Amino acid sequence: MHGSRISIWFFIGVLLAVYGVMIAASGVSEWVTGNYARGVQLVRLHMPVWWGALLGLLGLLYGVKFRPRKSRGGNTQNDAATTARPMRRSLDNG
Amino acid sequence: MFVWSPASVTAGSLGSLPVLLAFATEPLAHLRALDIAVIVIYFAMVLWIGFYLKGVSNTGEDFFLAGREMTAWIAGLSFVSANLGSLELMGWAGAAYQYGILATHWYWVGAIPAMLFLGLMMMPFYYVSKTHSVPGYLKLRFGEHARVLAALSFATEMILMSGVNMFAMAVVMKVVLGWNITFSIFVSSIAVALYVGLGGLRSAIFNEVLQFVLIWGGALLVPILGLVQSGGWTGLETKILANLHSTSYFHLWRDTGHFASNPMGVHWTGILFGLGFVISFGYWTTDFLVVQRVLAAHNLRAARMAPIIGSFFKMAVPFIVILPGLLGLVLLQNPDGTRRVLVGEEVVSACAVNTAQEKLDNPAACSAAMSTSRLSPAYRQRVLEAQPAADLHSYNEALPLMMVRYLGPGLLGLGITALIAGFMSGMAGNVSAFSTVWTYDLYRPLIYKRGSDSHYVLVGRLSIMSGVAVSIGAAYLVMHALGIMDYVQALFSIFIAPLLGVILFGMFWKRATALAGFLGLLIGIVFSASLFVWVKLHPAALALVAISPDAKPMAENVYRALWAFLLTSIVVVVVSLLTRPKPAAELDGLVYGATVLPQEEPVPFYKQEWMWAGVAVALFVALNLMFW
């Protein structure tokens, strides 16, 4: 996503970070209390902890890397997306 | 179970969903507070994105083409995500359970060659012609009549498909979670109307990329844990061989030499030419729903790279769709620990239990239906006795059952959110494409030609709102007249083959004329629809359409598309030779050989589209040989 806008990767980063924290926290709670969800297989692998941590880490990386920034002109800018402005073209064709 | 189509609907499982609804008793999953929180946060996020993007979607180009500023990665992910709906995930996981790895053809030969062809050969003309839609290209190449015919058929298909998607989502939420149908329909439609109405195509694309990430985040654990439990790929093969005594589940091509030698009842010629060429190329290169995503790219190189990037992700999708279906064959268990056997919807419906009397409605019909299934005699007897633990689940429930098996609190919410996101982005794709075609290909040329840019943006926003309202009506219509669903799904396969014929000749043959394009499209559509109705009224006609008495219903779409494509091609060629072509000067930017493509800045080899297309081809060939 280009231009003086918030990148889609920032939104995705925020969502993954929030999900990661929630899922990992739930997994840690299960691990500590030993109170696992009934019927779920392979609970001893503690996947919520590892998967939650992975999502959280990815979310954090993307959230930071693509965070909105103030440009000199005062606009919100996104670092990785600030390549050229888009080629504007007319919609009058076709 | 499903139609032979790579459409986002997979159109597949749709026809059988009402059966699931009618006979659903206990929901498959029970969500906890954490799972609900995950879902609520997703809705909050999409609405945030919609409101945020409203401020940057004020011009026609912003609203309908996302400002044409998407990078190749965003456009590519959105392109492939537009075809990765929840019904596709569930339908093809069920197909893999039923037919094994043969179902992978819809992801590989049924997609990859067409995606690469779009990027390398067709995108330059779509992009350089500066059109905003596929019907728009038809107008430039063949004139107003061809445009209006294509736009009318496409807009009708989109709005009906949106309604079918909406209904399907409500059914799945009812079956999996026990949610009320009307609640699901209205919550999803309000969310879609808000975020697409506010942010236009940009909002739809953002949410498709978000959905793509969620699907991988929510579904990837299922095959990973399944492989751990089954002892890896070798362990899975061993278990399937021990339980099902067949090696067909692991071969893509080996058993397709005859219709009767594989469980799908397909022949390799049908897969290669019908699916791999006509249907696949028709869908991936002419369906505006997917092409619109690539048109939003910020330059020609990005537009060409987007489908190539998408092809790599498309090749990976079977890992989260086909593999869970295969794993389900040996890992799903009944409450007593025995292997659970899934059945077709006809068996589920034949074995409906009268809950008041706690016995089967029709034991004889149930017994007859079960005789064709893989259920053990002991389990059949328990079903006939209507024992509470002897419940039946259909193939389409393979993926949700695998999710419930491996995903605990939070992770299950993420998996369900991925399904919801898939449905909602499917609807958003339908209504955003409808809005563009309605506004620029129908409203502007036929109703009000002299509007300002802001006028057409307003019309676009209103058409999204009204499109969603009509979709809700279509959803309830389908609910009360289930037979309509078959016809709605058939629309896709009826239109694409003629459209492909016309666009290919238009793009690669300078001699093709306006009248030939219009007549080819019209006659192709009428012929294709006639074949469909013929087989509907006289099922025996299938053997003629699919040129084999062993052909199964699934082969019908392939061969119908092939014949429609051939007839369209003949009409275009004959009529073109009898009519006067356009001067070459008028074909600049529209036809191969009459267009000078703009010079692009040189880039290192590792950024060149031809290099990456070559890598994709090599990977595609290697995968097909590996699973031959």
Side-chain angles (χ1 to χ4, degrees):
Chain A
M1 182 65 199
H2 288 284
S4 51
R5 318 247 163 82
I6 299 179
S7 165
I8 174 61
W9 300 115
F10 173 73
F11 290 107
I12 288 173
V14 170
L15 193 64
L16 289 184
V18 172
Y19 281 168
V21 169
M22 290 167 67
I23 291 168
S26 161
V28 169
S29 161
E30 275 186 341
W31 197 346
V32 171
T33 61
N35 185 18
Y36 297 103
R38 201 159 54 90
V40 177
Q41 301 284 305
L42 301 177
V43 290
R44 301 292 166 190
L45 293 178
H46 308 293
M47 286 315 290
V49 177
W50 313 123
W51 201 249
L54 181 66
L55 293 181
L57 194 63
L58 279 175
L60 200 62
L61 282 174
Y62 272 76
V64 171
K65 181 171 170 57
F66 295 98
R67 69 188 182 280
R69 290 173 180 168
K70 291 286 181 187
S71 70
R72 275 177 295 181
N75 289 329
T76 305
Q77 278 208 318
N78 177 278
D79 57 352
T82 50
T83 51
R85 277 297 297 170
M87 179 171 66
R88 290 278 167 183
R89 296 193 304 181
S90 167
L91 272 174
D92 294 338
N93 299 280
Chain B
M1 176 180 155
F2 46 77
V3 175
W4 191 298
S5 133
S8 54
V9 192
T10 330
S13 42
L14 282 180
S16 53
L17 278 170
V19 177
L20 294 183
L21 176 65
F23 299 99
T25 47
E26 277 287 298
L28 297 181
H30 296 279
L31 299 184
R32 299 182 179 202
L34 182 63
D35 300 312
I36 302 286
V38 168
I39 295 171
V40 169
I41 288 170
Y42 165 74
F43 274 92
M45 175 61 81
V46 297
L47 292 180
W48 177 26
I49 291 174
F51 277 101
Y52 169 71
L53 291 178
K54 179 181 183 299
V56 292
S57 300
N58 299 317
T59 68
E61 190 162 275
D62 280 333
F63 192 79
F64 296 108
L65 286 172
R68 289 207 195 235
E69 59 182 30
M70 297 296 147
T71 63
W73 276 90
I74 299 286
L77 287 178
S78 169
F79 175 74
V80 79
S81 183
N83 181 255
L84 196 61
S86 304
L87 286 169
E88 168 147 311
L89 299 180
M90 292 171 58
W92 290 113
Y97 184 99
Q98 207 173 351
Y99 304 120
I101 209 171
L102 268 175
T104 309
H105 281 308
W106 276 257
Y107 290 92
W108 291 352
V109 76
I112 307 304
M115 291 166 87
L116 299 179
F117 186 78
L118 171 70
L120 296 175
M121 304 302 294
M122 294 177 75
M123 222 44 236
F125 301 104
Y126 279 136
Y127 203 84
V128 172
S129 68
K130 300 179 183 175
T131 183
H132 58 273
S133 71
V134 172
Y137 175 82
L138 287 178
K139 189 257 177 182
L140 295 171
R141 180 66 181 88
F142 293 119
E144 197 67 87
H145 295 306
R147 186 234 296 253
V148 170
L149 178 60
L152 274 175
S153 55
F154 180 79
T156 308
E157 181 194 335
M158 280 301 101
I159 214 67
L160 290 175
M161 280 313 308
S162 173
V164 167
N165 257 322
M166 208 177 271
F167 173 62
M169 172 184 174
V171 172
V172 171
M173 291 302 115
K174 169 80 177 168
V175 172
V176 177
L177 301 175
W179 286 2
N180 177 277
I181 291 268
T182 299
F183 170 80
S184 296
I185 286 180
F186 277 86
V187 168
S188 61
S189 358
I190 289 168
V192 168
L194 270 177
Y195 80 72
V196 184
L198 291 168
L201 179 63
R202 187 181 278 111
S203 194
I205 288 178
F206 266 42
N207 279 285
E208 279 158 3
V209 177
L210 188 65
Q211 170 224 343
F212 189 84
V213 173
L214 285 176
I215 281 182
W216 281 90
L220 186 58
L221 264 184
V222 172
I224 290 174
L225 292 176
L227 281 176
V228 168
Q229 198 165 34
S230 69
W233 181 256
T234 312
L236 174 64
E237 279 185 315
T238 309
K239 284 186 170 68
I240 287 183
L241 194 60
N243 283 292
L244 301 157
H245 315 293
S246 169
T247 56
S248 286
Y249 286 90
F250 297 99
H251 291 282
L252 281 171
W253 297 99
R254 193 193 68 179
D255 300 328
T256 56
H258 192 273
F259 286 94
S261 60
N262 63 81
M264 268 190 177
V266 295
H267 190 265
W268 69 268
T269 53
I271 295 175
L272 195 62
F273 300 115
L275 174 67
F277 177 56
V278 179
I279 291 183
S280 167
F281 276 63
Y283 176 72
W284 289 102
T285 67
T286 69
D287 190 313
F288 181 53
L289 177 65
V290 289
V291 173
Q292 187 180 27
R293 273 76 194 134
V294 189
L295 285 175
H298 66 91
N299 62 29
L300 179 55
R301 187 180 298 281
R304 298 179 81 170
M305 275 300 287
I308 296 169
I309 291 172
S311 72
F312 287 96
F313 288 103
K314 190 72 182 172
M315 276 189 269
V317 170
F319 191 75
I320 55 167
V321 177
I322 304 299
L323 194 48
L326 283 174
L327 288 162
L329 267 169
V330 291
L331 294 178
L332 288 175
Q333 290 176 322
N334 294 309
D336 63 3
T338 56
R339 189 172 72 87
R340 183 187 284 282
V341 175
L342 304 183
V343 295
E345 279 76 15
E346 72 284 358
V347 180
V348 179
S349 61
C351 297
V353 176
N354 183 325
T355 46
Q357 299 177 13
E358 293 186 347
K359 63 179 189 180
L360 295 183
D361 281 335
N362 189 342
C366 175
S367 181
M370 284 195 296
S371 66
T372 59
S373 74
R374 298 192 196 118
L375 291 165
S376 67
Y379 200 84
R380 288 181 202 177
Q381 188 56 40
R382 289 166 57 191
V383 172
L384 289 171
E385 290 167 5
Q387 291 184 14
D391 53 346
L392 293 174
H393 290 279
S394 80
Y395 301 124
N396 289 324
E397 295 171 76
L399 186 62
L401 284 169
M402 289 291 281
M403 287 168 81
V404 170
R405 179 177 173 82
Y406 291 114
L407 305 183
L411 286 175
L412 182 60
L414 187 58
I416 297 295
T417 302
L419 290 182
I420 294 174
F423 278 117
M424 295 210 339
S425 70
M427 278 183 254
N430 291 140
V431 295
S432 62
F434 163 80
S435 162
T436 306
V437 168
W438 163 257
T439 305
Y440 282 107
D441 294 309
L442 293 171
Y443 178 81
R444 189 168 70 171
L446 300 180
I447 298 173
Y448 191 62
K449 288 182 179 167
R450 295 167 185 263
S452 63
D453 189 56
S454 57
H455 172 80
Y456 291 122
V457 172
L458 178 64
V459 170
R461 286 206 160 99
L462 291 175
S463 67
I464 283 169
M465 302 301 167
S466 51
V468 169
V470 175
S471 299
I472 293 175
Y476 279 97
L477 184 69
V478 168
M479 195 189 310
H480 291 105
L482 297 174
I484 290 174
M485 197 173 250
D486 283 347
Y487 293 91
V488 171
Q489 292 173 68
L491 283 177
F492 167 81
S493 59
I494 287 169
F495 291 135
I496 55 160
L499 187 59
L500 174 68
V502 168
I503 287 190
L504 282 184
F505 276 103
M507 215 170 253
F508 296 100
W509 192 39
K510 285 186 276 189
R511 187 67 180 75
T513 66
L515 184 63
F518 173 68
L519 285 180
L521 190 58
L522 182 63
I523 292 172
I525 289 173
V526 171
F527 175 71
S528 187
S530 304
L531 285 183
F532 172 78
V533 173
W534 187 32
V535 175
K536 267 277 175 197
L537 296 178
H538 303 285
L542 171 64
L544 292 172
V545 173
I547 54 170
S548 169
D550 294 326
K552 294 189 179 176
M554 165 168 275
E556 182 201 342
N557 283 332
V558 181
Y559 285 95
R560 186 174 69 233
L562 261 177
W563 308 140
F565 174 80
L566 287 175
L567 180 66
T568 301
S569 303
I570 292 167
V571 171
V572 171
V573 170
V574 171
V575 177
S576 291
L577 294 176
L578 296 174
T579 47
R580 181 179 296 177
K582 275 184 176 181
E586 291 180 26
L587 300 178
D588 185 21
L590 300 172
V591 187
Y592 185 81
T595 303
V596 179
L597 294 177
Q599 287 290 323
E600 292 181 281
E601 287 181 14
V603 290
F605 78 96
Y606 59 85
K607 288 188 176 176
Q608 285 181 8
E609 57 271 24
W610 285 95
M611 198 280 290
W612 285 109
V615 175
V617 168
L619 190 56
F620 168 74
V621 171
L623 286 169
N624 276 278
L625 290 176
M626 194 183 300
F627 296 101
W628 183 266

